[in-house]
Amino acid sequence: QVQLVESGGGLVQAGGSLRLSCAASGRTFSSYVMGWFRQAPGKEREFVAAITWSGGNTYYADSVKGRFTISRDNAKNTVYLQANSLKPEDTAVYYCAVSYSGSYYLRDDRRYDYWGQGTQVTVSS
């Protein structure tokens, strides 16, 4: 069993920044992918970013590339999402998740095994 706890969401003006955190506990994390997804009202959940725990390779959705940065702290079992130059269309509930399916499927939310409770990000115009 894995527990994921997100934090760092909030209300920010367009152009501002937020840093989301996701602390993981429970099962060992020797070989897995951690991802961030988001879901806006009335829309499907979409991939935002992911990082492999072993190699630290990072992947981004085109919509956030160059503005968001995913990183990890192995010692703390924590993954971060630094979100800069935020836009109103970034408004959503952001979820972190863990996948043991490898990096090939990291953009597919169906391949993630554990999910956090989500944290709300609201960007005002």
Side-chain angles (χ1 to χ4, degrees), residues 4-112:
L4 302 172
V5 179
E6 300 108 331
S7 60
L11 173 64
V12 63
Q13 289 187 333
S17 299
L18 283 174
R19 189 194 194 202
L20 307 184
S21 300
C22 176
S25 61
R27 186 175 171 179
T28 58
F29 305 100
S30 59
S31 178
Y32 65 101
V33 170
M34 285 199 78
W36 284 98
F37 289 78
R38 66 187 182 187
Q39 188 167 22
K43 295 187 177 181
E44 293 188 351
R45 186 163 56 192
E46 65 174 358
F47 170 78
V48 176
I51 187 167
T52 59
W53 207 255
S54 55
N57 297 317
T58 58
Y59 306 84
Y60 297 95
D62 289 342
S63 59
V64 306
K65 199 173 295 182
R67 299 188 298 121
F68 290 15
T69 302
I70 189 170
S71 62
R72 79 211 192 278
D73 184 330
N74 290 6
K76 295 182 178 180
N77 281 337
T78 299
V79 65
Y80 304 97
L81 185 68
Q82 178 67 43
N84 298 330
S85 301
L86 283 160
K87 305 174 181 180
E89 50 263 44
D90 294 318
T91 295
V93 177
Y94 284 70
Y95 300 90
C96 70
V98 171
S99 171
Y100 292 92
S101 298
S103 59
Y104 185 80
Y105 300 105
L106 56 83
R107 296 174 188 271
D108 185 350
D109 63 351
R110 298 168 298 177
R111 293 289 185 164
Y112 283 74

